[in-house]
Amino acid sequence: MGSTVPSVPTKLVEVEVAEAPRRGVPAVVLTSTGPALGPGGEGIATADLTGKAGETVRHRSADAWTLGVGTGTSSDYRTAGAALVRALSGDDAPKTADVLLTVDFDAEKVRAFVLGAALGGYRFKVTGEEAPPRVGSLRLVTPDEGFEEVLTSAALKAHALATATSLARDLANTPSNVKDPRWLATTAARLAEKVPGLSAVVRDEKWLAQQGFGGVLAVGGGSARPPRLVELTYDGGAGPHLVFIGKGITFDTGGISVKPADGMHLMRTDMAGGGAVVSALMAVARRGLPIRVTGLVPCAENHISGSAYRPGDVVRHYGGATTEVQNTDAEGRMVLADAMAYAVRNLKPDLVVDVATLTGAMKVSLGLRTGAVFTASPDLARSVVGAGARVGEKWWRMPLLEEHVEAVDSEIADYRQCPPGPGGITAALFLQKFAGDVPWAHLDIAGPARSEKVYEEVVAGATGFGARTLVELAEDFSR
């Protein structure tokens, strides 16, 4: 099995910016709604074109393609870039192509287009067969002399963000007979050690027991594959210290509170938050941002056995706080609580952000394409939402309702794991207990972390959602 799992990370389409097209290379002519053709469109008939974003038509007589970019929104350009790469695949796929940009192309449009092009052709399939041919590179040809440097910078940033998203997809898509806590932690550390300025430490179950990580040990206690904690450290200077914490549940049966069979196979992606954190740390380090960032990913497999934790148990977290377990399928908050307490006590962070596929409630509330933001700080909420908007990830602020705060208290322990009330909100209120006085945001990505449909730059499977927002957020705080 292991030999047929795709290598991590997946190779993406390369993109460059230049002022001149190449001879003998297929050209891609952009067309907007109307339709109106951009440079290179002379002689191409528009009768059958709509200009809709993602519309791709091959014109063999002109050795060219037309690509619809719609009305020119960022979403349209991500859709167009992704559609182009998907179209330039198959047995007759060219190795490269020139995309002839229109005069209105600015840095924002290049970022959106490159994100789409780099991610739209993503493929993760466990097979012994060769992947179908796909275009390997694109040249974006700008008609504006002297604008090449600006667009190149935008393209490089977009490709870095796409690389982070792709790695997060790789980690989440890897099947759980391969991806146990040890695999996830050691793979993250192995990849991180190749990035200058980024270091990694993996802690095993003995260290976790010595340090009192009761939540991680409880969740991982039912599996023959013991838990791990991976800590990634990047020190880019004297700027603020951000700590990103990602849920790393490599498979989730629900434990004794077992999940229904329908959909359980998708629980290989229950560590999507951890994958986003690992990928974001690597992108931050590669970009050399002048900031300090630590990534913590508590890794465990929530399984069923004679040693599994039970509803009614009282678990002591790192730092001493105790939790009354009410549902073993609410395991994510148990491991995050340990990591948050560890970060607050030992790392002196200026900001803590946790990312997790935490509650089905958020899938009901916000659907499958929008992440939830919980924080007591309006400014921090705006920062997260704004960062996401700039990189093509949608977020919505949810309330930390005061009337449910007391519900977190337990009669037998300090806290109740699953307080009554709205599930996503009470889960966030539970986690807030472990943030101390540090500014904190909880990002619930249960909805957008997976997709069954292709849209914009997203393909079916793990989406890598959240990784780009974390990188952009770090860049905001580094300014």
Side-chain angles (χ1 to χ4, degrees), residues 257-308:
S257 307
V258 64
K259 291 179 178 292
D262 291 346
M264 192 191 290
H265 63 287
L266 298 174
M267 289 300 101
R268 62 178 174 268
T269 67
D270 208 24
M271 39 55 65
V277 166
V278 170
S279 305
L281 263 289
M282 295 181 63
V284 166
R286 286 196 179 107
R287 287 183 57 74
L289 298 182
I291 193 172
R292 293 177 294 156
V293 187
T294 299
L296 298 174
V297 182
C299 308
E301 185 174 70
N302 189 24
H303 228 300
I304 305 171
S305 74
S307 59

Side-chain angles (χ1 to χ4, degrees), residues 195-242:
V195 180
L198 188 60
S199 61
V201 176
V202 176
R203 311 290 192 181
D204 64 12
E205 72 275 21
K206 293 180 181 178
W207 184 90
L208 292 169
Q210 290 169 354
Q211 297 296 316
F213 280 68
V216 178
L217 292 168
V219 172
S223 174
R225 308 153 97 184
R228 293 287 187 271
L229 174 71
V230 59
E231 181 171 345
L232 306 176
T233 303
Y234 169 72
D235 188 350
H241 184 194
L242 276 53

Side-chain angles (χ1 to χ4, degrees), residues 16-23 39 98-103 138-152:
E16 65 171 339
V17 178
E19 292 183 354
R22 296 164 291 183
R23 291 182 178 179
D98 287 347
V99 181
L100 309 181
L101 303 184
T102 52
V103 292
L138 297 174
R139 169 178 283 191
L140 308 186
V141 181
T142 174
D144 286 355
E145 294 184 7
F147 206 43
E148 180 181 351
E149 184 176 345
V150 174
L151 297 188
T152 295

